[in-house]
Amino acid sequence: MPETANPGTGKLDLTELSFDDFKNVVVNDYRIAYESRQASLIGRREVLTGKAKFGIFGDGKEVAQLAMAKVFRKGDWRAGYYRDQTFMFATGMSNLKEFFAQLYANPDITEDPASGGRQMNCHYATRFINEDGSWINQAESMNCSADMSTTSGHMPRLLGLAYASKLYRQNKELSSSATFSVNGNEVAFGTIGNGATSEGLFFEVFNAAGVLQVPMAISVWDDAYAISVPASIQTTKEDISEILKGFQRETGTNGYEIFKVRGWDYVALCETYERAIAVCREEHVPVLIHVTEMTQPQGHSTSGSHERYKTKDRLTWESDYDCLLQMRNWMIESAIITEDDISFIEDEAKKYVRECQREAWNNLGDKIKADIDEAVHLISQLTQVSELKKELEEVCSEVLTCVDPGRKDAVAAARKALRLTIQETSEEKNALIDWLDRENNKNEDRFNSKLFTGSSSSPLKVNVIAADYAEDAPSLDGREILNACFESNFERDKTIVAFGEDVGAIGDVNQGFAGLQNKFGNLRVTDTGIREASIVGKGMGLAMRGLKPIAEIQYVDYLLYAITVLSDDLASLSYRTAGGQKAPVIVRTRGHRLEGIWHSGSPLGIILNALRGLHICVPRNMTQAAGMYNTLLRGDEPAIVIECLNGYRLKEKLPANVGQFTVPLGKAEILREGPDMTVVSYGSTLRVVMDAAVELEKLGVNIEVVDPQTLYPFDTDNVCGSSLQKTNKLLVVDEDLPGAASAYILQKVLEAQKGYYLLDSPPRTLSAKDHRPPYGSDGDYFSKPSVDDIVETVYAMMSESNPAKYPPIY
């Protein structure tokens, strides 16, 4: 096995500790680690016996996490992956009862505060917002951003958490933000498996942090495998720190401090972390701690055994160099503890972990049993008055004999009983229906709530302020309207920052931020490298720490480079923490119609399906966009705003209150009234629809044009449905692909708004072709809806209903 670069001295710094104090620290560390190991062993058994669905644990990584915990302070942040249970126990950010509650998917946030049963075990989070959505004092708490299963998916967020410390230290305008930072002294700790360092997100973020020089400490837990795949297939030279040596800072350069230490060497680990984090915290230099020679005694997860792919020699080595065994031997050899005393500690730890497991199981089981007993009681009552007594008794018997029953079994039994008695009426049946309604409401909250935090600061609750225009209001380019909006908001709120490719020096490619870096400084309006995923992640991390970032993706087509961060992390954050965390970042981008395959995109189908958990804003012009930014910057939920690429130089009137007026989210607007047909569209295509409306009027057709303005939420006042009540015809015009955003809009109007019952002819969609748009004006005309397409489609629909009045064009 490879030798460590930091072999350790066999001693810890005792200058501030007596031997008894030192002994107590070490013994307590071992107890925590041993309890953690027992939790892993018991957790695996609970899965294999059917009490839990899946298990993934941190066994083999315990001792390194003890060392990391020693240098983790109040105000610090963690963005890690699913092996860090020992660290969470050692810092007090979690405990064994919560560990087992999450393993059993307990939906009670008092039992599983990390996720309310929504995430599998070892997916940690601390709750850093209160029930009303307000922030806790992050500077006085230890903070853990919510874990996720996608390997390296947390890395972009880690960058933002670290970058926040830099802003809090260097931007003197933020000196009053004591709730979030103390002079930027906070370190963002990241952990990742050696296999996941092969992911692109790792390398993108690693480079970005080296450029930015932020207090980010990455620990690589290296057990030489990624599930069954060895390092020889994962990593050049089989050594991630070896190939990252070029990032080592030198005199006069930026870069990293890189450390390497063995995962079973308690003393060396403690010394290494103390040195590494001191540099990181004090100098704001990112560090890499490569922890080698780790083991994974139970394999990757409960889905399989590592004996299938590891050699006998490797398994023997892992047994000999298990970090707990090595720490145990060192403690005895160093006269810190005797064999008898450490055996006693181990026995007591086993008992304690088992007690915690039983308590967690019983806490959930007792509540489920109460639900089942109530359902059975009500069904039994129904049995007494039903003609289907035998069948209902079988329903009761089935649920009572379930092995490890859940709430679903109680609810399913009630639903089955009601189906059986569909032809019967009785007070007993009504009582069962009432119970089912109550349970459905409870389970809606347990399992389907908090896609957004829904706090009093939600952008949906921001006061609506109309745009105010002076009589002599100037007509400006759309880009100038946005620029004035951003300038006003930056002056109003010192926590707002903006960054992205070309955002700083040139004020973005379409000049929305022109001149603002000169006015507000390069800490608030900042250029970034070409790295979309880390741009979004940086925004997410900043937003979690109380700042209000506008993260720009230059074109919506390139949003796909960041889609994993947006979808897996940002969009699911509120839901997967059951409302315990939020990250109100605004992702600004532009798209729709311009020229060419990668500058004309409108992938709203992808965005709508991937980003539930973000508000999706599709303003038709820059004034509407400005109003949406004003709303979002006063709210506390994440959003994406897609500006129209071909609207920046079109003239618009400048509102006198350009930084104050608000456009409410989810409120559709009728742009043109008409009795003949409802046409729903958004963004750049609306302009084409409005031009088509003029041509249609010449043909005797008057359409009603509806702009939903936001696709999520969609038309919460049912404007589209109300329009259909008078037109009875519906056309959705969309420049996305067939069956993408147009299908979503149809579902909302026809199903959610019950528009189907108002139609007197089949609804239609008019979308782009199945391919991406080709380059050039002809390519645009023949691949996306044109004025001619809209005119002829509307007219054809009118002709189908009344061919005498509207004879076919051709």
Side-chain angles (χ1 to χ4, degrees):
M1 293 297 152
E3 291 295 322
T4 176
N6 295 299
T9 62
K11 298 181 181 179
L12 290 175
D13 185 357
L14 305 181
T15 55
E16 297 181 6
L17 289 177
S18 67
F19 180 77
D20 285 342
D21 289 337
F22 165 68
K23 173 182 174 178
N24 290 335
V25 167
V26 174
V27 170
N28 187 58
D29 278 352
Y30 183 78
R31 178 189 56 79
I32 292 170
Y34 195 84
E35 289 175 351
S36 180
R37 176 65 62 87
Q38 292 306 305
S40 297
L41 297 173
I42 293 173
R44 182 179 179 86
R45 288 199 292 270
E46 292 298 278
V47 173
L48 298 182
T49 56
K51 288 184 177 180
K53 294 286 288 187
F54 182 79
I56 197 158
F57 307 103
D59 46 304
K61 315 295 188 293
E62 293 93 349
V63 174
Q65 291 176 30
L66 294 173
M68 185 168 72
K70 289 181 181 301
V71 291
F72 194 87
R73 298 180 184 172
K74 288 183 178 179
D76 286 346
W77 282 83
R78 171 189 171 271
Y81 87 130
Y82 44 73
R83 302 289 185 198
D84 291 350
Q85 68 200 51
T86 308
F87 172 79
M88 296 299 292
F89 299 157
T91 56
M93 288 191 287
S94 187
N95 58 52
L96 286 161
K97 292 177 183 176
E98 293 171 358
F99 170 91
F100 286 110
Q102 190 176 58
L103 182 70
Y104 299 135
N106 192 325
D108 186 341
I109 61 171
T110 62
E111 302 291 337
D112 171 23
S115 70
R118 295 177 180 186
Q119 293 227 80
M120 67 175 66
N121 74 298
C122 284
H123 285 60
Y124 289 105
T126 53
R127 306 187 74 79
F128 59 70
I129 57 175
N130 298 307
E131 288 188 9
D132 63 358
S134 60
W135 301 100
I136 68 165
N137 189 331
Q138 296 178 358
E140 289 298 318
S141 63
M142 293 183 174
N143 307 291
C144 174
S145 60
D147 289 349
M148 49 201 282
S149 294
T150 52
T151 56
S152 86
H154 59 288
M155 294 299 295
R157 180 204 330 142
L158 174 66
L159 177 68
L161 294 171
Y163 185 61
S165 290
K166 177 175 181 174
L167 293 184
Y168 281 122
R169 177 172 290 186
Q170 296 188 9
N171 185 353
K172 301 307 178 186
E173 292 181 322
L174 299 176
S175 59
S176 62
S177 302
T179 298
F180 298 101
S181 178
V182 178
N183 194 38
N185 292 334
E186 304 79 23
V187 172
F189 287 71
T191 63
I192 190 169
N194 57 296
T197 62
S198 298
E199 298 267 21
L201 291 178
F202 173 82
F203 281 97
E204 181 176 324
V205 169
F206 199 84
N207 175 63
V211 171
L212 293 171
Q213 292 294 274
V214 293
M216 184 173 85
I218 300 175
S219 296
V220 177
W221 305 147
D222 190 348
D223 58 26
Y225 287 86
I227 306 184
S228 67
V229 180
S232 60
I233 295 175
Q234 288 281 345
T235 308
T236 302
K237 300 182 180 180
E238 302 184 41
D239 191 320
I240 188 63
S241 59
E242 184 68 23
I243 63 174
L244 292 176
K245 280 184 176 179
F247 284 89
Q248 174 66 49
R249 68 170 177 163
E250 300 171 354
T251 303
T253 73
N254 56 16
Y256 279 74
E257 287 297 325
I258 298 175
F259 301 83
K260 193 173 184 180
V261 61
R262 295 179 296 202
W264 50 264
D265 191 335
Y266 174 79
V267 174
L269 284 160
C270 292
E271 293 174 343
T272 298
Y273 270 95
E274 186 176 356
R275 296 205 318 271
I277 302 307
V279 171
C280 191
R281 193 182 304 278
E282 296 163 13
E283 300 181 42
H284 274 203
V285 172
V287 299
L288 173 72
I289 302 107
H290 182 193
V291 185
T292 64
E293 298 190 28
M294 285 185 146
T295 66
Q296 203 152 276
Q298 298 187 113
H300 173 75
S301 69
T302 54
S303 61
S305 170
H306 62 158
E307 284 85 357
R308 292 179 299 165
Y309 53 84
K310 290 179 181 175
T311 66
K312 289 183 178 180
D313 287 345
R314 173 70 194 191
L315 291 170
T316 299
W317 181 88
E318 289 195 9
S319 177
D320 292 342
Y321 282 84
D322 183 293
C323 63
L324 286 190
L325 176 62
Q326 289 289 322
M327 184 176 179
R328 188 184 199 275
N329 292 340
W330 169 75
M331 291 168 66
I332 295 171
E333 292 168 0
S334 302
I336 293 171
I337 197 169
T338 66
E339 174 73 41
D340 288 344
D341 286 343
I342 202 168
S343 295
F344 176 79
I345 289 171
E346 292 167 348
D347 290 340
E348 291 298 302
K350 289 178 183 178
K351 293 176 185 176
Y352 176 64
V353 175
R354 178 58 77 180
E355 288 171 3
C356 292
Q357 174 266 318
R358 288 179 182 139
E359 184 174 345
W361 176 251
N362 291 335
N363 283 346
L364 178 60
D366 290 347
K367 294 174 183 176
I368 292 174
K369 184 178 184 302
D371 287 347
I372 289 175
D373 288 347
E374 189 170 3
V376 169
H377 172 73
L378 292 169
I379 297 170
S380 297
Q381 295 288 97
L382 179 57
T383 301
Q384 303 305 312
V385 298
S386 173
E387 295 180 359
L388 298 162
K389 181 176 182 179
K390 181 178 179 182
E391 290 86 346
L392 291 173
E393 286 176 344
E394 289 178 356
V395 172
C396 291
S397 177
E398 287 174 2
V399 71
L400 288 172
T401 56
C402 278
V403 178
D404 297 329
R407 287 187 170 95
K408 66 180 180 64
D409 297 295
V411 169
R415 294 170 76 176
K416 187 173 182 178
L418 293 172
R419 289 198 301 271
L420 286 170
T421 56
I422 196 169
Q423 300 295 335
E424 299 179 354
T425 58
S426 66
E427 289 300 316
E428 289 78 6
K429 182 177 178 180
N430 290 338
L432 182 60
I433 291 172
D434 290 342
W435 177 86
L436 181 60
D437 287 341
R438 292 194 301 272
E439 288 305 301
N440 284 338
N441 288 333
K442 292 177 185 177
N443 288 322
E444 178 74 17
D445 183 64
R446 287 171 180 140
F447 303 110
N448 305 119
S449 63
K450 297 296 184 181
L451 184 61
F452 295 92
T453 56
S455 74
S456 59
S457 298
S458 166
L460 300 180
K461 300 176 183 177
V462 170
N463 290 333
V464 179
I465 300 174
D468 180 31
Y469 292 93
E471 289 186 8
D472 59 346
S475 290
L476 304 177
D477 288 349
R479 62 185 176 83
E480 295 176 282
I481 304 291
L482 279 179
N483 187 266
C485 164
F486 290 140
E487 182 175 8
S488 176
N489 278 289
F490 269 67
E491 288 176 341
R492 174 185 63 85
D493 188 344
K494 305 303 182 184
T495 67
I496 298 174
V497 295
F499 48 86
E501 298 158 19
D502 301 305
V503 166
I506 69 171
D508 87 50
V509 291
N510 295 104
Q511 299 293 282
F513 281 102
L516 298 189
Q517 187 181 72
N518 287 337
K519 182 167 186 177
F520 297 106
N522 60 10
L523 288 176
R524 295 191 64 192
V525 183
T526 311
D527 283 316
T528 71
I530 300 174
R531 43 177 183 255
E532 286 81 5
S534 59
I535 288 171
V536 171
K538 185 164 75 172
M540 184 176 178
L542 292 177
M544 295 173 100
R545 294 193 60 186
L547 297 168
K548 293 185 178 177
I550 301 172
E552 179 169 313
I553 302 298
Q554 196 161 97
Y555 298 106
V556 71
D557 304 81
Y558 303 130
L559 197 75
L560 297 183
Y561 282 91
I563 200 70
T564 55
V565 184
L566 286 163
S567 181
D568 292 341
D569 204 356
L570 180 59
S572 72
L573 178 66
S574 178
Y575 174 78
R576 75 179 191 268
T577 60
Q581 298 191 356
K582 62 181 179 180
V585 58
I586 299 171
V587 179
R588 180 195 182 210
T589 188
R590 53 191 66 83
H592 308 307
R593 311 174 81 102
L594 188 62
E595 299 294 343
I597 289 175
W598 286 286
H599 296 85
S600 303
S602 186
L604 264 299
I606 294 174
I607 292 169
L608 282 164
N609 287 318
L611 303 187
R612 301 296 172 94
L614 271 71
H615 297 296
I616 300 172
C617 304
V618 284
R620 63 182 179 269
N621 58 36
M622 301 310 157
T623 302
Q624 296 303 103
M628 291 177 185
Y629 284 121
N630 290 335
T631 299
L632 293 168
L633 287 168
R634 289 163 174 80
D636 70 346
E637 293 170 351
I640 178 171
V641 181
I642 305 171
E643 299 165 10
C644 299
L645 256 170
N646 54 7
Y648 290 110
R649 296 189 181 279
L650 298 179
K651 299 298 183 181
E652 300 179 32
K653 291 284 189 180
L654 175 68
N657 57 343
V658 68
Q660 290 78 42
F661 82 98
T662 57
V663 171
L665 308 186
K667 305 300 180 183
E669 186 175 351
I670 295 177
L671 303 186
R672 187 183 195 277
E673 294 188 352
D676 294 328
M677 186 178 300
T678 300
V679 179
V680 181
S681 190
Y682 62 91
S684 289
T685 313
L686 270 170
R687 197 174 300 116
V688 185
V689 172
M690 294 296 282
D691 290 342
V694 176
E695 295 299 311
L696 284 163
E697 191 171 10
K698 297 174 185 177
L699 298 173
V701 179
N702 286 284
I703 61 173
E704 184 147 292
V705 181
V706 181
D707 175 12
Q709 301 208 86
T710 62
L711 294 181
Y712 201 84
F714 180 86
D715 185 14
T716 56
D717 292 334
N718 290 5
V719 171
C720 295
S722 297
S723 176
L724 278 182
Q725 287 182 336
K726 66 177 178 179
T727 68
N728 308 115
K729 294 179 179 65
L730 174 65
L731 173 66
V732 177
V733 181
D734 173 29
E735 59 182 344
D736 200 355
L737 303 176
S742 57
Y744 166 84
I745 293 172
L746 279 180
Q747 186 272 330
K748 289 293 185 182
V749 177
L750 299 184
E751 183 179 344
Q753 297 187 7
K754 303 186 186 306
Y756 171 82
Y757 301 101
L758 304 172
L759 297 174
D760 61 15
S761 64
R764 293 278 302 274
T765 64
L766 179 60
S767 63
K769 302 298 184 182
D770 276 322
H771 53 77
R772 294 193 180 201
Y775 174 67
S777 297
D778 284 348
D780 181 90
Y781 180 85
F782 289 106
S783 63
K784 289 198 171 189
S786 66
V787 170
D788 295 328
D789 294 330
I790 296 168
V791 169
E792 293 180 6
T793 300
V794 170
Y795 188 87
M797 292 174 69
M798 297 299 294
S799 179
E800 289 172 5
S801 297
N802 192 343
K805 184 176 180 180
Y806 304 104
I809 297 175
Y810 54 83

